[in-house]
Amino acid sequence: MALVHGFPSRRSVLALLGFLAACAGVGQQAGEMGVRTGVVEQIVDVPLPTSHHAGVGAVVGGLAGLSVGSLIGAGSGRDVAMVLAAVGGAVAGNEVEKTHAQPVPGQQIVVRTGSGILISVTQPGVAGLRKGQVVYVEGHGDGARVVAR
């Protein structure tokens, strides 16, 4: 890249922008989703982690402990009681949240595409999918999902 007064020249910048635009144009456009077809080879039921917001129990428990601790003692003893009650409440709230978090039923679906490639997608349970069924695999990576054709 040629430098003019310490900065890249206009021609270098335009060439770089043209290259980047060409690279961005290859493949999918924004908002498009890749869809492949295939046949279900295997379906395994698996538990998926719940989608609840982790930490809510600790926050609620900590706030409850803080309010209870503020009722105890006076002066610096009150401050110590508030801190200890907040920490204890946060720990207790976190434990309660963990015991009530139930896994979501899901499926690991193995699909053989038309090109012979095996794809494994883990998603929340989809009623009606069965081995040997022709399906669509929408998207890629963690966002992929299998739907009936």
Side-chain angles (χ1 to χ4, degrees):
M1 210 182 282
L3 296 179
V4 177
H5 303 290
F7 296 102
S9 70
R10 180 179 293 168
R11 183 175 290 175
S12 297
V13 170
L14 290 176
L16 179 62
L17 288 175
F19 176 74
L20 292 175
C23 289
V26 175
Q28 298 177 346
Q29 298 296 318
E32 291 182 356
M33 179 186 311
V35 177
R36 295 162 283 179
T37 59
V39 177
V40 175
E41 293 271 324
Q42 180 180 14
I43 298 176
V44 178
D45 292 329
V46 294
L48 298 176
T50 184
S51 61
H52 79 283
H53 300 289
V56 173
V59 171
V60 171
L63 291 174
L66 184 65
S67 64
V68 169
S70 68
L71 302 174
I72 300 171
S76 62
R78 181 179 184 184
D79 295 341
V80 170
M82 287 172 61
V83 169
L84 291 176
V87 169
V91 169
N94 190 42
E95 289 302 314
V96 168
E97 180 182 29
K98 280 198 273 184
T99 60
H100 287 89
Q102 298 295 320
V104 177
Q107 295 176 324
Q108 180 184 25
I109 305 163
V110 178
V111 176
R112 183 173 302 275
T113 64
S115 61
I117 297 173
L118 287 175
I119 300 172
S120 175
V121 177
T122 302
Q123 64 188 31
V126 178
L129 293 181
R130 64 189 185 291
K131 186 176 177 179
Q133 182 176 3
V134 179
V135 294
Y136 292 120
V137 179
E138 298 177 341
H140 298 282
D142 290 340
R145 63 187 180 136
V146 178
V147 295
R149 183 169 165 197

